[in-house]
Amino acid sequence: MNKLRRRSTINLVKELDAFPKVPESYVETSAFGGTVSLIVFILMALLTISEFFVYQDSWMKYEYEVDTDFTSKLKIKIDITVAMKCSRVGADVLDVAGAVIASKELKYDAVSDFKILHQIQNRLREEHSLQDVLFKSALKGYFSDPVPQNDSTSNSQNACRIHGKIYVNKVAGNFHIILGKPIDTIRGHAHFASLIKNEAALNFSHRIDYLSFGNDVPGHINPLDGTEKITLEQNMLFQYFITVVPTKLHTSGVSVNMHQFSVTEQERVVSNKKGSHGVSGIFIKYKLSPLMVRVTEEHMPFSVFLVRLCGIIGGIFSTSGLFHRFIGYFVDIVCCHFRLGADQSQEVSHC
């Protein structure tokens, strides 16, 4: 009884076989079939290799959420060179809450003649056009921050390099460099410039070597890095309107909380006679976006890779089988047509 049950079970399983075997004596091979099989195998190999490269690659996923961190401080790192002597200019930050961050945290270094670094400028302009540099290639540290070089052979130090780090509140503010050193008075914030009367020296041509918000990311190119503004006009007002976007970056190589920013620029000559009022200087006005961007590096899961690979192999195999059968049917029809025509001509000749 047990043997009968086993045989019936085996027979039932055999009936469920979706892959029936064909005896080799019933299989007929042809040169056309071999050619199609060779082409199919080569195509499968190429697509498999291509899919493997896609599996190894990664892409950036961008998500947006509300930034709830308002208590921490925001670091501003700046390195700017102004075409004026350090004794004539002063820099500090004033935010909308009325807080003043004095320029004690900034360093003033006298440098030689104000020079235009065209090579650095052109390189940074090329890098700004590459979006992937921000989060992929640049993270590997291929590019370093430009550092202004002092010309030791020149004795005329008529420019000032202002650099350092400032920690500010996470509210809108105004970083400015204007004539005179900043002082605190009873009436509020001011710059002491009454002793500076040489109007010919009021040239606010400048070069921003580095300007960043938040934590530093190796190789990250900021929008204003390498920006130069050269003018021969006096009493120029340079304004940069910046929107800072908090960003959480998580990749296989780095995980950091950083801040990106976008900027618009405006410059004009201050002339009360012409109705263009204001204060000459360099003003970097920033505000923080309420939305935070979460950037994560994603890879294709191995299960998805296997499904796609099976789809490629199975799809090519099935499509090639249909193509082979269609061509075979077409060849058989043509051959039968010629055979019938030949048979009919032979019958007519015999008659």
Side-chain angles (χ1 to χ4, degrees):
M1 294 295 293
N2 294 332
K3 292 182 179 180
L4 293 176
R5 289 179 181 177
R6 290 178 181 176
R7 289 180 180 177
S8 60
T9 303
I10 293 174
N11 292 331
L12 179 61
V13 173
K14 287 182 178 180
E15 292 178 358
L16 297 176
D17 187 9
F19 307 97
K21 305 298 184 296
V22 180
E24 294 183 359
S25 58
Y26 294 100
V27 177
E28 182 180 359
T29 59
S30 62
F32 175 73
T35 304
V36 173
S37 300
L38 183 61
I39 295 174
V40 167
F41 290 148
I42 295 175
L43 185 60
M44 284 183 181
L46 293 177
L47 292 179
T48 300
I49 295 173
S50 175
E51 191 67 22
F52 180 73
F53 284 117
V54 173
Y55 169 71
Q56 285 192 326
D57 196 9
S58 62
W59 60 89
M60 295 298 171
K61 180 181 179 182
Y62 296 84
E63 297 176 326
Y64 301 90
E65 57 187 61
V66 178
D67 184 20
T68 57
D69 183 14
F70 301 104
T71 58
S72 62
K73 295 290 186 178
L74 177 64
K75 180 179 72 174
I76 301 177
K77 185 177 179 181
I78 190 167
D79 190 343
I80 182 172
T81 304
V82 186
M84 294 177 64
K85 293 184 178 181
C86 294
S87 59
R88 297 178 178 270
V89 294
D92 55 3
V93 178
L94 178 65
D95 60 25
V96 294
V100 179
I101 292 86
S103 60
K104 296 179 181 179
E105 302 180 21
L106 297 175
K107 298 179 181 179
Y108 295 77
D109 296 335
V111 296
S112 302
D113 294 336
F114 188 77
K115 294 184 178 181
I116 305 174
L117 302 180
H118 291 288
Q119 295 180 352
I120 295 179
Q121 178 75 358
N122 294 333
R123 188 193 71 178
L124 292 173
R125 284 175 179 171
E126 293 176 358
E127 295 303 330
H128 285 177
S129 62
L130 302 176
Q131 180 66 23
D132 288 342
V133 170
L134 295 178
F135 297 128
K136 281 193 174 181
S137 299
L139 294 178
K140 300 178 182 178
Y142 291 156
F143 306 100
S144 59
D145 298 332
V147 178
Q149 302 292 331
N150 295 345
D151 188 2
S152 57
T153 60
S154 176
N155 297 324
S156 59
Q157 294 183 333
N158 57 359
C160 182
R161 178 191 175 196
I162 304 173
H163 61 98
K165 302 176 183 178
I166 302 177
Y167 292 88
V168 299
N169 299 321
K170 295 187 71 174
V171 294
N174 178 10
F175 174 83
H176 51 270
I177 301 175
I178 60 177
L179 190 65
K181 297 298 181 180
I183 57 174
D184 294 327
T185 63
I186 300 177
R187 296 184 178 181
H189 178 67
H191 282 252
F192 187 72
S194 61
L195 298 179
I196 302 176
K197 299 180 180 180
N198 188 5
E199 296 293 334
L202 300 183
N203 189 340
F204 282 98
S205 298
H206 61 278
R207 180 181 66 248
I208 301 176
D209 292 297
Y210 189 81
L211 175 63
S212 67
F213 294 84
N215 298 323
D216 298 331
V217 177
H220 181 207
I221 306 297
N222 297 290
L224 287 178
D225 291 354
T227 299
E228 292 177 338
K229 297 293 183 180
I230 310 297
T231 180
L232 299 177
E233 299 287 344
Q234 307 301 323
N235 297 324
M236 283 292 297
L237 171 60
F238 297 95
Q239 292 179 306
Y240 299 93
F241 301 93
I242 293 177
T243 301
V244 182
V245 181
T247 305
K248 289 186 177 181
L249 177 63
H250 299 281
T251 66
S252 58
V254 65
S255 179
V256 65
N257 295 335
M258 57 180 295
H259 290 75
Q260 302 180 87
F261 65 90
S262 60
V263 59
T264 56
E265 307 174 12
Q266 183 183 22
E267 56 184 78
R268 60 183 175 88
V269 178
V270 177
S271 177
N272 295 327
K273 297 180 180 179
K274 298 180 180 180
S276 179
H277 304 286
V279 178
S280 57
I282 304 168
F283 292 83
I284 301 176
K285 300 179 180 180
Y286 62 90
K287 63 178 181 179
L288 278 81
S289 171
L291 295 179
M292 180 181 63
V293 180
R294 185 184 299 272
V295 184
T296 55
E297 184 181 11
E298 290 194 345
H299 297 268
M300 180 186 298
F302 185 71
S303 58
V304 176
F305 170 70
L306 290 180
V307 171
R308 290 168 61 97
L309 194 61
C310 293
I312 289 174
I313 296 175
I316 294 177
F317 188 78
S318 300
T319 305
S320 61
L322 293 175
F323 177 76
H324 179 263
R325 291 180 182 179
F326 176 78
I327 296 297
Y329 291 152
F330 180 76
V331 171
D332 292 340
I333 292 173
V334 173
C335 291
C336 290
H337 179 73
F338 281 109
R339 287 177 183 176
L340 290 175
D343 293 340
Q344 291 177 0
S345 61
Q346 289 178 2
E347 291 178 358
V348 171
S349 62
H350 285 302
C351 293

